[in-house]
Amino acid sequence: MGIPTVTISSSEFVSLAKDTSVGKGAADLSFVIVPHPLGMIPLAEIREKADRAFPLIMKAATEWKPEAKLPPIKPIYPAQKLIFEGTISEFNQYLMDKGFSIGLPVIPPTPERVKKMLKGTSRKPDELLGMVPPRMGALTVELVAIHAVMAGCKPEYMPVLIAALEALLDPKANWRGLTTTTATSSILVIVNGPIIYEVGIASRQGAAGSGHQANASIGYAINLIADIVGGSKSPSPDKSLLGGPGDFVAWVFGENQLALPKGWEPYHVDRGFKRTDSVVTVMGVYPPVDNIDHWSTSPEEHVRWWSYLASPLLSIGGPCWISQMDQPHIIAIGPEHAQLISGAGWTKEQFQKTFWEQARIPFSAWPKGCPNVDLLVKRFGPVNADTPIPMTLKYEDIHIVIAGGAGKHSHFFAPFPGCFPVTKLIRK
Amino acid sequence: MVKNFILRKRLFIFLTFILILPLSLSSAKERKQIWEYLNPEGVIKIEPMKINPHPDTLEGKTIMLRWNGKHNGDKFLERIAELLINHVKNIKVIKSWEVAPETVDPIAGSQERSLEFAKTIAKFKPDLVIGAQSD
């Protein structure tokens, strides 16, 4: 667009800002660094920081010239062969030291193992799936196979893994935001269709937990790729304040299609696919809220309780980040809760509407400094302190999946800002 | 006769144990080997972006101050606006959050949306954009 810029960044985030600019093709940009933090400090301190930064801003505005250059682009295929001599433990330590690990053991990706893994897909090994942010590592099918080996996948998992990665590479998934945020975010992967039974994706008791090889190894491979190919390493550019288990293994489960209430379609049909299609849906999410309800005997009572439990997560949208009110939120309903709801004759839509109408918090709950109050009024209507604000602007953005096995739990997954669910057909 | 057989059997088991023990110990110990493996990092593929030259002076120029919505960023830029107006002749300062509130969003979420924001800001034809971001 031909307009020069000066970017002001706090000292804690300047490395992320620089990495991001390189990832977008600008080897060098004009930055002015101010001491962290800027947010949540008194006005007098902010003005003092601005006064100190002003001479640097003037200098950057009128004297700055680019110096750094981008590295030359190398061939993306085949992957470079490397040699290491040592024991398996030493090999794992070596990978960790080189940044080729996320702290858990891996299986060495030897050429023979990778070749065998590639037999799980008809896709050509040199096919480029896309560039993994923020490092913009070129992700080929061969590179996916390398990570599938490292994570302990079986070759038959490759089509699911590739489809999940294609979904993550869709700009609507906002993979860059997920891997560079200060939030404890993770990737949610929901599998639907016959592939669940063909390759053994767990979809019932404890499906997203331990002990299920397909789910665990696919989830592990996704995060290996995010950290190694995408370069999303803590403490920068992965700025997770605390992090969590989702940084190691993505949440992967199949919808429990066998427990679908009568008349309720599976999630992939809601997403516009046929029942017989095998698909994968990904979405960047915050850690879920567990709805523990052993007591309700009617859908009305259950939804009322549910809406109270989910309400704290409303604070991440609304007048603070208005765009989040356009993002779908996913509720993974446990089969027993689904039976309670549907047993009284409720449709999926009736549950969506009732939950959406009840899961609201008053406008006064949000911090005063939220930046989007005017936009909220423009889109939602006039508000006062007591106005109940919903989590989304329309009830259809409450998405429903039936998940897990026996027990009295359901899970609410709020999206990370900018992350939309992306669904891809699984191609073998 | 029977006692003799039992003694010989016990001796056989003992000797077998003595012989197998070092073998089993050596198999439990990790062995060094040469690992040929494929680099899991992949190569960086970034198309370079043209960087625009900066002006020699801000006098007579239009400066857009861009706030992304992170807390206090607007307060910081408000002060910068005061300083620019006080120190630079004939400067015009535009505040993005006043003229284009739709660009105020702490997490744009996608490159497409970032580009939309950039296009909105470019419509005001600034000579330079000063942006404040991060926490």
Side-chain angles (χ1 to χ4, degrees), chain A residues 167-198:
Chain A
L168 280 166
L169 287 163
D170 187 308
K172 280 195 163 300
N174 188 23
W175 203 358
R176 175 185 295 278
L178 264 181
T179 55
T180 55
T181 178
T182 50
T184 303
S185 58
S186 57
I187 296 166
L188 176 65
V189 181
I190 302 167
V191 186
N192 273 97
I195 194 89
I196 290 176
Y197 313 106
E198 289 166 17

PDB file of all heavy atoms in Angstrom, chain A residues 167-198:
ATOM      1  N   ALA A 167      -7.166 -28.417   7.524  1.00  0.00           N
ATOM      2  CA  ALA A 167      -8.148 -27.550   8.186  1.00  0.00           C
ATOM      3  C   ALA A 167      -7.430 -26.455   8.978  1.00  0.00           C
ATOM      4  O   ALA A 167      -7.815 -25.284   8.940  1.00  0.00           O
ATOM      5  CB  ALA A 167      -9.046 -28.379   9.090  1.00  0.00           C
ATOM      6  N   LEU A 168      -6.380 -26.827   9.678  1.00  0.00           N
ATOM      7  CA  LEU A 168      -5.639 -25.840  10.478  1.00  0.00           C
ATOM      8  C   LEU A 168      -4.953 -24.792   9.608  1.00  0.00           C
ATOM      9  O   LEU A 168      -4.752 -23.648  10.030  1.00  0.00           O
ATOM     10  CB  LEU A 168      -4.591 -26.549  11.345  1.00  0.00           C
ATOM     11  CG  LEU A 168      -5.129 -27.177  12.621  1.00  0.00           C
ATOM     12  CD1 LEU A 168      -4.108 -28.133  13.221  1.00  0.00           C
ATOM     13  CD2 LEU A 168      -5.504 -26.107  13.643  1.00  0.00           C
ATOM     14  N   LEU A 169      -4.578 -25.198   8.397  1.00  0.00           N
ATOM     15  CA  LEU A 169      -3.906 -24.258   7.497  1.00  0.00           C
ATOM     16  C   LEU A 169      -4.884 -23.294   6.825  1.00  0.00           C
ATOM     17  O   LEU A 169      -4.470 -22.323   6.197  1.00  0.00           O
ATOM     18  CB  LEU A 169      -3.112 -25.035   6.430  1.00  0.00           C
ATOM     19  CG  LEU A 169      -1.836 -25.704   6.964  1.00  0.00           C
ATOM     20  CD1 LEU A 169      -1.345 -26.776   6.003  1.00  0.00           C
ATOM     21  CD2 LEU A 169      -0.741 -24.676   7.204  1.00  0.00           C
ATOM     22  N   ASP A 170      -6.180 -23.563   6.965  1.00  0.00           N
ATOM     23  CA  ASP A 170      -7.189 -22.636   6.452  1.00  0.00           C
ATOM     24  C   ASP A 170      -7.121 -21.352   7.290  1.00  0.00           C
ATOM     25  O   ASP A 170      -7.112 -21.417   8.524  1.00  0.00           O
ATOM     26  CB  ASP A 170      -8.577 -23.288   6.590  1.00  0.00           C
ATOM     27  CG  ASP A 170      -9.672 -22.474   5.927  1.00  0.00           C
ATOM     28  OD1 ASP A 170      -9.777 -21.268   6.222  1.00  0.00           O
ATOM     29  OD2 ASP A 170     -10.421 -23.044   5.126  1.00  0.00           O
ATOM     30  N   PRO A 171      -7.078 -20.172   6.641  1.00  0.00           N
ATOM     31  CA  PRO A 171      -6.964 -18.931   7.419  1.00  0.00           C
ATOM     32  C   PRO A 171      -8.039 -18.776   8.496  1.00  0.00           C
ATOM     33  O   PRO A 171      -7.819 -18.154   9.528  1.00  0.00           O
ATOM     34  CB  PRO A 171      -7.094 -17.840   6.359  1.00  0.00           C
ATOM     35  CG  PRO A 171      -6.712 -18.485   5.080  1.00  0.00           C
ATOM     36  CD  PRO A 171      -7.081 -19.932   5.196  1.00  0.00           C
ATOM     37  N   LYS A 172      -9.227 -19.383   8.265  1.00  0.00           N
ATOM     38  CA  LYS A 172     -10.302 -19.250   9.263  1.00  0.00           C
ATOM     39  C   LYS A 172      -9.976 -19.953  10.579  1.00  0.00           C
ATOM     40  O   LYS A 172     -10.589 -19.667  11.614  1.00  0.00           O
ATOM     41  CB  LYS A 172     -11.607 -19.809   8.693  1.00  0.00           C
ATOM     42  CG  LYS A 172     -12.311 -18.845   7.765  1.00  0.00           C
ATOM     43  CD  LYS A 172     -13.732 -19.270   7.515  1.00  0.00           C
ATOM     44  CE  LYS A 172     -14.597 -18.174   6.951  1.00  0.00           C
ATOM     45  NZ  LYS A 172     -14.719 -16.991   7.776  1.00  0.00           N
ATOM     46  N   ALA A 173      -9.020 -20.876  10.553  1.00  0.00           N
ATOM     47  CA  ALA A 173      -8.648 -21.586  11.788  1.00  0.00           C
ATOM     48  C   ALA A 173      -7.766 -20.724  12.688  1.00  0.00           C
ATOM     49  O   ALA A 173      -7.609 -21.012  13.870  1.00  0.00           O
ATOM     50  CB  ALA A 173      -7.938 -22.898  11.450  1.00  0.00           C
ATOM     51  N   ASN A 174      -7.140 -19.686  12.117  1.00  0.00           N
ATOM     52  CA  ASN A 174      -6.289 -18.768  12.888  1.00  0.00           C
ATOM     53  C   ASN A 174      -5.205 -19.510  13.673  1.00  0.00           C
ATOM     54  O   ASN A 174      -5.025 -19.313  14.881  1.00  0.00           O
ATOM     55  CB  ASN A 174      -7.141 -17.918  13.840  1.00  0.00           C
ATOM     56  CG  ASN A 174      -6.326 -16.829  14.524  1.00  0.00           C
ATOM     57  OD1 ASN A 174      -5.280 -16.413  14.020  1.00  0.00           O
ATOM     58  ND2 ASN A 174      -6.786 -16.364  15.677  1.00  0.00           N
ATOM     59  N   TRP A 175      -4.473 -20.370  12.977  1.00  0.00           N
ATOM     60  CA  TRP A 175      -3.417 -21.167  13.625  1.00  0.00           C
ATOM     61  C   TRP A 175      -2.334 -20.250  14.189  1.00  0.00           C
ATOM     62  O   TRP A 175      -1.780 -20.498  15.246  1.00  0.00           O
ATOM     63  CB  TRP A 175      -2.827 -22.162  12.610  1.00  0.00           C
ATOM     64  CG  TRP A 175      -2.176 -23.361  13.231  1.00  0.00           C
ATOM     65  CD1 TRP A 175      -2.025 -23.630  14.562  1.00  0.00           C
ATOM     66  CD2 TRP A 175      -1.605 -24.477  12.545  1.00  0.00           C
ATOM     67  NE1 TRP A 175      -1.397 -24.838  14.737  1.00  0.00           N
ATOM     68  CE2 TRP A 175      -1.129 -25.380  13.523  1.00  0.00           C
ATOM     69  CE3 TRP A 175      -1.443 -24.801  11.191  1.00  0.00           C
ATOM     70  CZ2 TRP A 175      -0.492 -26.575  13.204  1.00  0.00           C
ATOM     71  CZ3 TRP A 175      -0.817 -25.997  10.867  1.00  0.00           C
ATOM     72  CH2 TRP A 175      -0.349 -26.875  11.865  1.00  0.00           C
ATOM     73  N   ARG A 176      -2.054 -19.160  13.459  1.00  0.00           N
ATOM     74  CA  ARG A 176      -1.023 -18.221  13.938  1.00  0.00           C
ATOM     75  C   ARG A 176      -1.391 -17.668  15.319  1.00  0.00           C
ATOM     76  O   ARG A 176      -0.577 -17.666  16.243  1.00  0.00           O
ATOM     77  CB  ARG A 176      -0.854 -17.063  12.950  1.00  0.00           C
ATOM     78  CG  ARG A 176       0.100 -15.979  13.424  1.00  0.00           C
ATOM     79  CD  ARG A 176       0.117 -14.808  12.468  1.00  0.00           C
ATOM     80  NE  ARG A 176       0.658 -15.174  11.176  1.00  0.00           N
ATOM     81  CZ  ARG A 176       1.958 -15.239  10.911  1.00  0.00           C
ATOM     82  NH1 ARG A 176       2.839 -14.954  11.839  1.00  0.00           N
ATOM     83  NH2 ARG A 176       2.384 -15.589   9.711  1.00  0.00           N
ATOM     84  N   GLY A 177      -2.639 -17.223  15.458  1.00  0.00           N
ATOM     85  CA  GLY A 177      -3.068 -16.661  16.740  1.00  0.00           C
ATOM     86  C   GLY A 177      -2.973 -17.674  17.863  1.00  0.00           C
ATOM     87  O   GLY A 177      -2.517 -17.372  18.971  1.00  0.00           O
ATOM     88  N   LEU A 178      -3.385 -18.897  17.553  1.00  0.00           N
ATOM     89  CA  LEU A 178      -3.378 -19.965  18.556  1.00  0.00           C
ATOM     90  C   LEU A 178      -1.988 -20.271  19.089  1.00  0.00           C
ATOM     91  O   LEU A 178      -1.816 -20.574  20.265  1.00  0.00           O
ATOM     92  CB  LEU A 178      -3.870 -21.266  17.900  1.00  0.00           C
ATOM     93  CG  LEU A 178      -5.306 -21.667  18.013  1.00  0.00           C
ATOM     94  CD1 LEU A 178      -5.502 -22.984  17.317  1.00  0.00           C
ATOM     95  CD2 LEU A 178      -5.730 -21.767  19.460  1.00  0.00           C
ATOM     96  N   THR A 179      -0.998 -20.207  18.197  1.00  0.00           N
ATOM     97  CA  THR A 179       0.346 -20.632  18.592  1.00  0.00           C
ATOM     98  C   THR A 179       1.216 -19.491  19.106  1.00  0.00           C
ATOM     99  O   THR A 179       2.364 -19.716  19.456  1.00  0.00           O
ATOM    100  CB  THR A 179       1.074 -21.316  17.415  1.00  0.00           C
ATOM    101  OG1 THR A 179       1.071 -20.416  16.313  1.00  0.00           O
ATOM    102  CG2 THR A 179       0.415 -22.615  17.020  1.00  0.00           C
ATOM    103  N   THR A 180       0.665 -18.272  19.122  1.00  0.00           N
ATOM    104  CA  THR A 180       1.487 -17.154  19.602  1.00  0.00           C
ATOM    105  C   THR A 180       0.832 -16.405  20.764  1.00  0.00           C
ATOM    106  O   THR A 180       1.422 -15.480  21.306  1.00  0.00           O
ATOM    107  CB  THR A 180       1.754 -16.147  18.458  1.00  0.00           C
ATOM    108  OG1 THR A 180       0.504 -15.737  17.907  1.00  0.00           O
ATOM    109  CG2 THR A 180       2.603 -16.750  17.366  1.00  0.00           C
ATOM    110  N   THR A 181      -0.365 -16.815  21.147  1.00  0.00           N
ATOM    111  CA  THR A 181      -1.112 -16.085  22.172  1.00  0.00           C
ATOM    112  C   THR A 181      -0.536 -16.284  23.585  1.00  0.00           C
ATOM    113  O   THR A 181       0.176 -17.261  23.838  1.00  0.00           O
ATOM    114  CB  THR A 181      -2.589 -16.536  22.171  1.00  0.00           C
ATOM    115  OG1 THR A 181      -3.273 -15.851  23.212  1.00  0.00           O
ATOM    116  CG2 THR A 181      -2.719 -18.030  22.415  1.00  0.00           C
ATOM    117  N   THR A 182      -0.917 -15.374  24.488  1.00  0.00           N
ATOM    118  CA  THR A 182      -0.584 -15.557  25.898  1.00  0.00           C
ATOM    119  C   THR A 182      -1.572 -16.514  26.573  1.00  0.00           C
ATOM    120  O   THR A 182      -1.358 -16.953  27.694  1.00  0.00           O
ATOM    121  CB  THR A 182      -0.644 -14.206  26.645  1.00  0.00           C
ATOM    122  OG1 THR A 182      -1.890 -13.573  26.343  1.00  0.00           O
ATOM    123  CG2 THR A 182       0.494 -13.298  26.253  1.00  0.00           C
ATOM    124  N   ALA A 183      -2.669 -16.817  25.894  1.00  0.00           N
ATOM    125  CA  ALA A 183      -3.732 -17.646  26.486  1.00  0.00           C
ATOM    126  C   ALA A 183      -3.338 -19.124  26.520  1.00  0.00           C
ATOM    127  O   ALA A 183      -2.473 -19.577  25.777  1.00  0.00           O
ATOM    128  CB  ALA A 183      -5.013 -17.489  25.676  1.00  0.00           C
ATOM    129  N   THR A 184      -4.026 -19.864  27.399  1.00  0.00           N
ATOM    130  CA  THR A 184      -3.868 -21.322  27.421  1.00  0.00           C
ATOM    131  C   THR A 184      -4.863 -21.890  26.415  1.00  0.00           C
ATOM    132  O   THR A 184      -5.966 -22.278  26.766  1.00  0.00           O
ATOM    133  CB  THR A 184      -4.154 -21.867  28.830  1.00  0.00           C
ATOM    134  OG1 THR A 184      -3.265 -21.217  29.734  1.00  0.00           O
ATOM    135  CG2 THR A 184      -3.921 -23.364  28.911  1.00  0.00           C
ATOM    136  N   SER A 185      -4.446 -21.892  25.172  1.00  0.00           N
ATOM    137  CA  SER A 185      -5.345 -22.366  24.122  1.00  0.00           C
ATOM    138  C   SER A 185      -4.867 -23.724  23.633  1.00  0.00           C
ATOM    139  O   SER A 185      -3.734 -24.126  23.891  1.00  0.00           O
ATOM    140  CB  SER A 185      -5.351 -21.373  22.961  1.00  0.00           C
ATOM    141  OG  SER A 185      -4.047 -21.228  22.467  1.00  0.00           O
ATOM    142  N   SER A 186      -5.749 -24.424  22.943  1.00  0.00           N
ATOM    143  CA  SER A 186      -5.341 -25.698  22.339  1.00  0.00           C
ATOM    144  C   SER A 186      -6.183 -25.960  21.111  1.00  0.00           C
ATOM    145  O   SER A 186      -7.118 -25.213  20.811  1.00  0.00           O
ATOM    146  CB  SER A 186      -5.450 -26.837  23.347  1.00  0.00           C
ATOM    147  OG  SER A 186      -6.753 -26.927  23.834  1.00  0.00           O
ATOM    148  N   ILE A 187      -5.831 -27.031  20.431  1.00  0.00           N
ATOM    149  CA  ILE A 187      -6.537 -27.377  19.192  1.00  0.00           C
ATOM    150  C   ILE A 187      -7.522 -28.503  19.488  1.00  0.00           C
ATOM    151  O   ILE A 187      -7.149 -29.519  20.087  1.00  0.00           O
ATOM    152  CB  ILE A 187      -5.523 -27.811  18.107  1.00  0.00           C
ATOM    153  CG1 ILE A 187      -4.618 -26.637  17.738  1.00  0.00           C
ATOM    154  CG2 ILE A 187      -6.240 -28.359  16.880  1.00  0.00           C
ATOM    155  CD1 ILE A 187      -3.385 -27.022  16.950  1.00  0.00           C
ATOM    156  N   LEU A 188      -8.769 -28.298  19.058  1.00  0.00           N
ATOM    157  CA  LEU A 188      -9.808 -29.321  19.210  1.00  0.00           C
ATOM    158  C   LEU A 188     -10.002 -29.975  17.845  1.00  0.00           C
ATOM    159  O   LEU A 188     -10.142 -29.279  16.839  1.00  0.00           O
ATOM    160  CB  LEU A 188     -11.100 -28.654  19.678  1.00  0.00           C
ATOM    161  CG  LEU A 188     -12.343 -29.522  19.809  1.00  0.00           C
ATOM    162  CD1 LEU A 188     -12.155 -30.569  20.901  1.00  0.00           C
ATOM    163  CD2 LEU A 188     -13.560 -28.662  20.140  1.00  0.00           C
ATOM    164  N   VAL A 189      -9.974 -31.297  17.814  1.00  0.00           N
ATOM    165  CA  VAL A 189     -10.145 -32.045  16.557  1.00  0.00           C
ATOM    166  C   VAL A 189     -11.299 -33.028  16.744  1.00  0.00           C
ATOM    167  O   VAL A 189     -11.223 -33.914  17.599  1.00  0.00           O
ATOM    168  CB  VAL A 189      -8.854 -32.816  16.185  1.00  0.00           C
ATOM    169  CG1 VAL A 189      -9.041 -33.578  14.871  1.00  0.00           C
ATOM    170  CG2 VAL A 189      -7.657 -31.878  16.103  1.00  0.00           C
ATOM    171  N   ILE A 190     -12.354 -32.871  15.957  1.00  0.00           N
ATOM    172  CA  ILE A 190     -13.522 -33.762  16.058  1.00  0.00           C
ATOM    173  C   ILE A 190     -13.623 -34.551  14.754  1.00  0.00           C
ATOM    174  O   ILE A 190     -13.606 -33.967  13.668  1.00  0.00           O
ATOM    175  CB  ILE A 190     -14.822 -32.946  16.272  1.00  0.00           C
ATOM    176  CG1 ILE A 190     -14.706 -32.087  17.544  1.00  0.00           C
ATOM    177  CG2 ILE A 190     -16.027 -33.885  16.361  1.00  0.00           C
ATOM    178  CD1 ILE A 190     -15.788 -31.032  17.669  1.00  0.00           C
ATOM    179  N   VAL A 191     -13.687 -35.868  14.879  1.00  0.00           N
ATOM    180  CA  VAL A 191     -13.750 -36.722  13.689  1.00  0.00           C
ATOM    181  C   VAL A 191     -15.168 -37.286  13.569  1.00  0.00           C
ATOM    182  O   VAL A 191     -15.772 -37.682  14.566  1.00  0.00           O
ATOM    183  CB  VAL A 191     -12.716 -37.871  13.772  1.00  0.00           C
ATOM    184  CG1 VAL A 191     -12.688 -38.664  12.462  1.00  0.00           C
ATOM    185  CG2 VAL A 191     -11.330 -37.325  14.089  1.00  0.00           C
ATOM    186  N   ASN A 192     -15.681 -37.296  12.357  1.00  0.00           N
ATOM    187  CA  ASN A 192     -17.020 -37.843  12.091  1.00  0.00           C
ATOM    188  C   ASN A 192     -16.979 -38.803  10.905  1.00  0.00           C
ATOM    189  O   ASN A 192     -16.123 -38.682  10.026  1.00  0.00           O
ATOM    190  CB  ASN A 192     -17.992 -36.701  11.725  1.00  0.00           C
ATOM    191  CG  ASN A 192     -18.631 -36.063  12.941  1.00  0.00           C
ATOM    192  OD1 ASN A 192     -18.178 -35.030  13.419  1.00  0.00           O
ATOM    193  ND2 ASN A 192     -19.676 -36.681  13.455  1.00  0.00           N
ATOM    194  N   GLY A 193     -17.958 -39.695  10.886  1.00  0.00           N
ATOM    195  CA  GLY A 193     -18.143 -40.574   9.723  1.00  0.00           C
ATOM    196  C   GLY A 193     -17.511 -41.934   9.897  1.00  0.00           C
ATOM    197  O   GLY A 193     -16.943 -42.255  10.947  1.00  0.00           O
ATOM    198  N   PRO A 194     -17.590 -42.759   8.841  1.00  0.00           N
ATOM    199  CA  PRO A 194     -17.137 -44.150   8.923  1.00  0.00           C
ATOM    200  C   PRO A 194     -15.655 -44.316   9.301  1.00  0.00           C
ATOM    201  O   PRO A 194     -15.264 -45.345   9.856  1.00  0.00           O
ATOM    202  CB  PRO A 194     -17.371 -44.683   7.503  1.00  0.00           C
ATOM    203  CG  PRO A 194     -18.331 -43.748   6.871  1.00  0.00           C
ATOM    204  CD  PRO A 194     -18.181 -42.426   7.542  1.00  0.00           C
ATOM    205  N   ILE A 195     -14.839 -43.296   9.024  1.00  0.00           N
ATOM    206  CA  ILE A 195     -13.395 -43.411   9.313  1.00  0.00           C
ATOM    207  C   ILE A 195     -13.152 -43.696  10.804  1.00  0.00           C
ATOM    208  O   ILE A 195     -12.153 -44.328  11.169  1.00  0.00           O
ATOM    209  CB  ILE A 195     -12.657 -42.116   8.867  1.00  0.00           C
ATOM    210  CG1 ILE A 195     -11.131 -42.312   8.824  1.00  0.00           C
ATOM    211  CG2 ILE A 195     -12.975 -40.948   9.777  1.00  0.00           C
ATOM    212  CD1 ILE A 195     -10.615 -42.790   7.544  1.00  0.00           C
ATOM    213  N   ILE A 196     -14.078 -43.250  11.648  1.00  0.00           N
ATOM    214  CA  ILE A 196     -13.939 -43.472  13.093  1.00  0.00           C
ATOM    215  C   ILE A 196     -13.724 -44.963  13.367  1.00  0.00           C
ATOM    216  O   ILE A 196     -12.837 -45.349  14.130  1.00  0.00           O
ATOM    217  CB  ILE A 196     -15.205 -42.969  13.843  1.00  0.00           C
ATOM    218  CG1 ILE A 196     -15.274 -41.442  13.808  1.00  0.00           C
ATOM    219  CG2 ILE A 196     -15.243 -43.473  15.275  1.00  0.00           C
ATOM    220  CD1 ILE A 196     -16.545 -40.876  14.449  1.00  0.00           C
ATOM    221  N   TYR A 197     -14.559 -45.784  12.697  1.00  0.00           N
ATOM    222  CA  TYR A 197     -14.517 -47.226  12.958  1.00  0.00           C
ATOM    223  C   TYR A 197     -13.443 -47.907  12.108  1.00  0.00           C
ATOM    224  O   TYR A 197     -12.880 -48.924  12.492  1.00  0.00           O
ATOM    225  CB  TYR A 197     -15.907 -47.823  12.695  1.00  0.00           C
ATOM    226  CG  TYR A 197     -16.978 -46.978  13.367  1.00  0.00           C
ATOM    227  CD1 TYR A 197     -17.808 -46.143  12.622  1.00  0.00           C
ATOM    228  CD2 TYR A 197     -17.081 -46.952  14.753  1.00  0.00           C
ATOM    229  CE1 TYR A 197     -18.739 -45.318  13.244  1.00  0.00           C
ATOM    230  CE2 TYR A 197     -18.015 -46.124  15.385  1.00  0.00           C
ATOM    231  CZ  TYR A 197     -18.834 -45.309  14.618  1.00  0.00           C
ATOM    232  OH  TYR A 197     -19.736 -44.490  15.238  1.00  0.00           O
ATOM    233  N   GLU A 198     -13.151 -47.327  10.944  1.00  0.00           N
ATOM    234  CA  GLU A 198     -12.152 -47.938  10.044  1.00  0.00           C
ATOM    235  C   GLU A 198     -10.744 -47.890  10.632  1.00  0.00           C
ATOM    236  O   GLU A 198      -9.971 -48.824  10.487  1.00  0.00           O
ATOM    237  CB  GLU A 198     -12.171 -47.222   8.688  1.00  0.00           C
ATOM    238  CG  GLU A 198     -13.422 -47.512   7.864  1.00  0.00           C
ATOM    239  CD  GLU A 198     -13.599 -46.549   6.693  1.00  0.00           C
ATOM    240  OE1 GLU A 198     -12.629 -45.867   6.311  1.00  0.00           O
ATOM    241  OE2 GLU A 198     -14.723 -46.470   6.185  1.00  0.00           O
TER     242      GLU A 198
END
